[in-house]
Amino acid sequence: MANLQDLTEAVIKGDEDKIKLTILELLNAGTPAKEIMDDGLIAGMNIVGGKMETEEMFIPEVLMSAKAMSAGVEILKPQLTDEENAASGTMILGTVQGDLHDIGKNLVKMLMEGAGFSVIDLGTDVPPAAFVDAIKEHNADIVAMSALLTTTMPKMKETMEAMENAGIRDQVKVLVGGAPVTENYADEIGADGYGYDAGSAVRIAKEYMTN
Ligand code: B1M
């Protein structure tokens, strides 16, 4: 019978077929989707990250793992989203300028849409001005920024400054997240909230819409 360790190994190998099959087996066996995500897929990606750092894995292999993981996330989508208790609100989402990591951002999008938010996804490598333009164009309630690199985190601050300069900072709630981002950092740059993971980001976003 499949277990979470098999899934972790399939992520490391970038074996998309094995990932899909293992997830279906785990779901059939009653394993909760969040456990499959956190202890299978994300656990595998964290090992990939370590191997990347020690140069046991290189960019093309990491990309294969990323692609395979994304296919797995798609299968979990119906199980991860909470279509009851739908919130309403418009969110601008993007990975900040200079940063191409999008798996976490896509997970945030999936769960936000599942929770009822209308999400305008600006993609990756999003300059501050593009966030500002999108807030104005869509009359957004929330701006959600993701950063995976310590070198791109300062772009979150720059984006906040661009919002201030455009006179729209007070119109939106700003939510930040991503592996190197912390609650302290969020406070330091004056963001309204910090999401440790996609699920907590949804919880916070829902609070903004009810308060
Ligand atoms: Co990159 N990379 N990478 N990489 N990569 C990291 C981030 C790194 C930690 C790996 C390592 O060295 N250990 C390291 C950063 C070091 C640092 O800054 N301190 C790193 C590096 C150095 C780089 C390059 C510079 C490597 C190079 O070229 N030499 C380069 C930079 C490219 C660029 O962006 N300009 C690079 C490139 C890549 C790939 C393109 C090969 C690929 C990305 C593919 C893609 O995204 N489509 C990649 C990958 C896959 C990773 C790791 C292995 C995995 C990231 C991931 O997807 N995790 C990563 C190591 C690691 O994180 N352990 C690494 C799974 C995902 C679900 O987690 O995105 O953290 P995550 O999202 C989480 C939470 O953070 C949170 O929710 C999710 C969980 O529910 N979250 C939010 C995320 N955004 C949120 C927003 C929110 C709230 C929560 O509210 C708005």
Side-chain angles (χ1 to χ4, degrees):
M1 219 181 64
N3 58 41
L4 289 165
Q5 183 62 33
D6 294 335
L7 188 55
T8 300
E9 277 161 21
V11 172
I12 299 165
K13 287 189 186 135
D15 187 341
E16 192 172 320
D17 291 340
K18 179 83 188 285
I19 288 177
K20 288 179 179 165
L21 204 69
T22 309
I23 291 179
L24 291 174
E25 284 183 27
L26 287 166
L27 286 173
N28 279 338
T31 313
K34 175 123 178 45
E35 203 174 311
I36 298 176
M37 173 66 74
D38 291 349
D39 302 339
L41 293 176
I42 294 182
M45 254 328 192
N46 284 338
I47 296 174
V48 169
K51 288 185 181 291
M52 201 174 159
E53 218 170 339
T54 53
E55 298 191 346
E56 285 166 79
M57 280 178 82
F58 295 97
I59 303 288
E61 297 157 292
V62 178
L63 274 172
M64 275 181 67
S65 293
K67 184 171 166 282
M69 171 165 175
S70 297
V73 172
E74 274 303 314
I75 300 185
L76 288 174
K77 188 172 179 175
Q79 275 78 17
L80 283 173
T81 51
D82 161 26
E83 271 148 22
E84 290 159 34
N85 303 318
S88 64
T90 301
M91 172 178 289
I92 307 297
L93 171 70
T95 303
V96 296
Q97 190 169 34
D99 202 322
L100 301 174
H101 296 85
D102 68 357
I103 300 178
K105 175 205 48 87
N106 293 342
L107 200 52
V108 170
K109 180 183 182 187
M110 184 187 287
L111 298 200
M112 290 292 179
E113 285 182 338
F117 284 94
S118 163
V119 180
I120 316 302
D121 182 4
L122 303 181
T124 59
D125 190 17
V126 182
F131 277 106
V132 170
D133 290 347
I135 296 166
K136 289 187 192 159
E137 187 186 338
H138 299 280
N139 193 18
D141 302 293
I142 301 173
V143 179
M145 289 186 269
S146 179
L148 262 288
L149 299 170
T150 43
T151 49
T152 57
M153 281 166 64
K155 285 289 170 188
M156 291 179 158
K157 185 160 187 272
E158 274 182 44
T159 305
M160 308 259 320
E161 285 163 1
M163 286 184 230
E164 291 274 359
N165 293 338
I168 54 169
R169 170 66 187 97
D170 294 340
Q171 290 171 27
V172 284
K173 293 284 189 188
V174 178
L175 186 54
V176 294
V181 180
T182 60
E183 183 114 49
N184 272 348
Y185 185 73
D187 289 344
E188 200 182 301
I189 64 171
D192 297 293
Y194 158 71
Y196 165 73
D197 62 12
S200 62
V202 170
R203 185 180 43 74
I204 298 166
K206 278 181 158 180
E207 280 168 18
Y208 291 154
M209 300 317 294
T210 49
N211 292 330

